[in-house]
């Protein structure tokens, strides 16, 4: 069964998960970054203060994911979506209307938690749990919701800002999303709750990933892309200078990265179904490893292009591989718990990574050294995960 048959037979459920991933754009860094200046002005913060506040609310959102994310394992998905959308709407209203900076930051934190965190968690968990034989393809299709947001929303928002203020633009986008969600709530084929809620005081059944050695062994492999690509995004000016390229080339290469995500997602989903997530987990970082090696040795415009395109291919494939791998190891019935833990770990690490790289750059390290460290981190993460992957392969 291919993508066409999957869309024909399951378009309703796939549409819900796709909409969740697209709606998560409202809380993604790329979207909030488009409005950083007016948000900072409204809250009375400097650029540096906004960056500190943004990192703080992001880390708090990561801790909240640990507490709230596992609920999708026993709360009916429709009710889960209603709760998340209600909190997201409240967060947008606080951010755009509150006269006090404290409530505005609370709204920003709710947007980050419910947008980037809970809605993407909902989309990935639905696709990963409700499909078995076609899990990889389903995750690949659903992941294109975020790609659509990353590709279409920045130019669209820039064009609409000519006629609308930033707050009116947020309200308009939120209204469009709520309209789409209203139709999905009314007509969507929502699955039932996958399990029962633990009783008060009762110890929750299922895995506790942070207490399992195999989770910690797998974590560096799955965090390689988020951590290193965050560094490349944040320090793009220093990257292009040290590699002998330019920000204009970087901007074009960034578009190439967005385009590379599409074949990465579609081919990654197909290969997960054919070859299995364990084998793909051993291979999917190869394009990015090759890109790091080229950038480290040759540099220039070619190095920048390789980093973006190689990273895009791997990023497009990672979600379907990672979620399928979590199901393979811990089971679909506990996917919400394990995915929430992984998401929280990624939030923590990507929040700390720019600070670590910033210290290295301030100490005078050229970006070639940082690229070498990224490649070493990739190799070590791959090597540490081999024991877990071998055990999962034998199951």
């Amino acid at each position: 069964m291919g993508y066409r048959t999957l869309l024909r037979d399951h378009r309703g459920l796939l549409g819900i998960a796709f909409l969740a991933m697209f709606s998560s754009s409202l809380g993604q860094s790329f979207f909030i970054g488009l409005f950083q200046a007016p948000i900072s002005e409204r809250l009375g913060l400097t650029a540096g203060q906004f960056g500190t506040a943004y990192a703080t609310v992001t880390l708090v959102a990561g801790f909240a994911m640990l507490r709230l994310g596992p609920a999708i394992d026993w709360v009916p998905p429709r009710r889960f979506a209603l709760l998340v959308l209600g909190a997201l709407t409240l967060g947008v209203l606080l951010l755009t209307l509150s006269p006090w900076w404290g409530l505005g930051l609370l709204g920003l934190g709710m947007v980050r938690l419910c947008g980037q965190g809970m809605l993407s968690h909902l989309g990935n968990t639905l696709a990963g749990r409700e499909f078995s034989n076609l899990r990889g393809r389903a995750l690949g299709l659903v992941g294109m919701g975020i790609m659509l947001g990353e590709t279409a929303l920045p130019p669209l928002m820039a064009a609409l800002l000519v006629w609308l203020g930033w707050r009116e633009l947020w309200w308009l986008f939120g209204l469009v999303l709520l309209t789409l969600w209203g139709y999905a709530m009314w007509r969507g084929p929502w699955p039932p709750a996958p399990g029962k809620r633990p009783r008060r005081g009762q110890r929750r059944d299922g895995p506790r990933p942070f207490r399992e050695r195999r989770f910690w062994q797998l974590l560096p492999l799955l965090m390689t892309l988020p951590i290193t690509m965050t560094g490349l995004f944040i320090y793009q000016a220093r990257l292009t200078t040290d590699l002998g390229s330019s920000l204009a080339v970087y901007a074009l290469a960034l578009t190439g990265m967005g385009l590379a995500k599409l074949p990465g997602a579609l081919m990654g989903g197909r290969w997960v179904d054919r070859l299995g997530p364990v084998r793909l987990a051993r291979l999917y970082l190869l394009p990015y490893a090759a890109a790091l090696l080229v950038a480290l040795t040759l540099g220039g415009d070619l190095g920048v292009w390789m980093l973006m395109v190689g990273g895009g291919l791997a990023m497009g494939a990672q979600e379907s591989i990672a979620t399928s791998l979590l199901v393979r190891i811990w089971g679909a019935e506990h996917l919400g718990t394990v995915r929430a833990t992984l998401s929280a770990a990624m939030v923590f690490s990507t929040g700390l990574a720019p600070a670590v790289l910033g210290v290295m750059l301030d100490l005078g390290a050229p970006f070639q050294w940082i690229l070498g460290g990224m490649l070493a981190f990739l190799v070590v993460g791959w090597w540490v995960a081999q024991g877990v992957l071998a055990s999962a392969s034998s199951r």
Side-chain angles (χ1 to χ4, degrees):
M1 184 184 292
Y3 283 109
R4 183 178 301 178
T5 308
L6 183 65
L7 286 170
R8 184 191 65 201
D9 295 342
H10 304 282
R11 61 179 177 271
L13 184 56
L14 287 171
I16 292 172
F18 182 93
L19 179 60
M21 299 296 278
F22 177 72
S23 302
S24 74
S25 299
L26 195 61
Q28 298 282 357
S29 295
F30 80 87
F31 188 84
I32 295 175
L34 296 173
F35 307 95
Q36 179 268 320
I39 292 176
S40 298
E41 182 180 356
R42 174 166 179 78
L43 298 180
L45 303 175
T46 66
Q49 290 172 335
F50 178 84
T52 302
Y54 186 78
T56 301
V57 299
T58 299
L59 290 173
V60 172
F63 282 109
M65 277 291 297
L66 286 174
R67 177 69 177 175
L68 302 175
I72 201 172
D73 284 338
W74 61 82
V75 174
R78 185 178 182 181
R79 186 186 304 171
F80 187 91
L82 280 171
L83 293 173
V84 172
L85 290 170
L88 178 63
T89 302
L90 178 59
V92 171
L93 293 177
L94 286 175
L95 178 61
T96 56
L97 294 176
S98 174
W100 300 290
W101 66 269
L103 286 179
L105 288 181
L106 175 62
L108 179 62
M110 295 175 68
V111 168
R112 289 286 285 158
L113 170 63
C114 298
Q116 183 192 35
M118 302 299 276
L119 281 176
S120 60
H121 182 52
L122 170 66
N124 276 313
T125 303
L126 278 179
R129 187 169 60 201
E130 301 301 325
F131 295 88
S132 53
N133 295 332
L134 299 173
R135 182 175 292 118
R137 287 178 173 87
L139 287 164
L141 287 173
V142 166
M144 292 171 62
I146 290 182
M147 299 176 205
L148 176 62
E150 291 174 340
T151 305
L153 289 180
L156 180 61
M157 295 297 114
L160 291 177
L161 277 172
V162 176
W163 295 283
L164 299 174
W166 76 273
R167 295 192 300 171
E168 291 77 12
L169 197 51
W170 275 64
W171 299 337
L172 176 61
F173 185 42
L175 182 61
V176 171
L177 291 179
L178 288 178
T179 302
L180 295 173
W181 275 107
Y183 181 80
M185 294 292 175
W186 175 44
R187 298 295 300 271
W190 291 90
K196 294 183 179 180
R197 180 173 183 169
R199 296 178 181 177
R200 184 182 298 272
Q202 176 186 4
R203 182 176 178 179
R204 194 169 65 207
D205 294 332
R208 296 191 175 188
F210 278 148
R211 298 185 181 183
E212 295 192 35
R213 180 179 177 181
R214 56 182 177 174
F215 180 79
W216 289 104
Q217 289 178 290
L218 198 60
L219 201 56
L221 176 71
L222 298 180
M223 290 199 306
T224 294
L225 276 174
I227 290 176
T228 58
M229 293 301 292
T230 297
L232 298 182
F233 295 153
I234 296 296
Y235 298 108
Q236 55 187 262
R238 184 65 180 271
L239 166 71
T240 53
T241 299
D242 287 4
L243 263 60
S245 184
S246 66
L247 287 175
V249 172
Y250 176 88
L252 291 174
L254 200 60
T255 303
M257 183 193 73
L259 295 175
K261 286 183 178 180
L262 177 60
L266 294 179
M267 291 188 299
R270 183 183 296 272
W271 289 342
V272 164
D273 291 335
R274 288 186 175 182
L275 304 177
V278 175
R279 188 176 301 178
L280 264 294
R282 293 188 172 119
L283 300 174
Y284 82 102
L285 287 179
L286 281 177
Y288 187 50
L292 285 169
L293 190 58
V294 171
L296 183 61
T297 55
L298 300 180
D301 296 345
L302 176 63
V304 173
W305 270 97
M306 286 291 293
L307 285 174
M308 294 298 105
V309 174
L313 287 171
M315 289 170 68
Q318 170 154 315
E319 197 56 63
S320 59
I321 295 170
T323 302
S324 299
L325 188 60
L326 297 181
V327 173
R328 179 70 172 269
I329 297 175
W330 282 280
E333 65 275 16
H334 303 301
L335 180 58
T337 298
V338 183
R339 266 206 55 82
T341 309
L342 177 62
S343 298
M346 288 187 175
V347 168
F348 300 149
S349 60
T350 53
L352 295 175
V356 175
L357 296 185
V359 171
M360 294 177 63
L361 292 172
D362 288 344
L363 292 175
F367 216 93
Q368 286 84 349
W369 290 12
I370 292 177
L371 292 176
M374 290 178 176
L375 182 59
F377 180 63
L378 186 155
V379 173
V380 171
W382 179 89
W383 177 75
V384 170
Q386 292 311 299
V388 180
L389 295 178
S391 176
S393 179
S394 64
R395 292 180 59 182

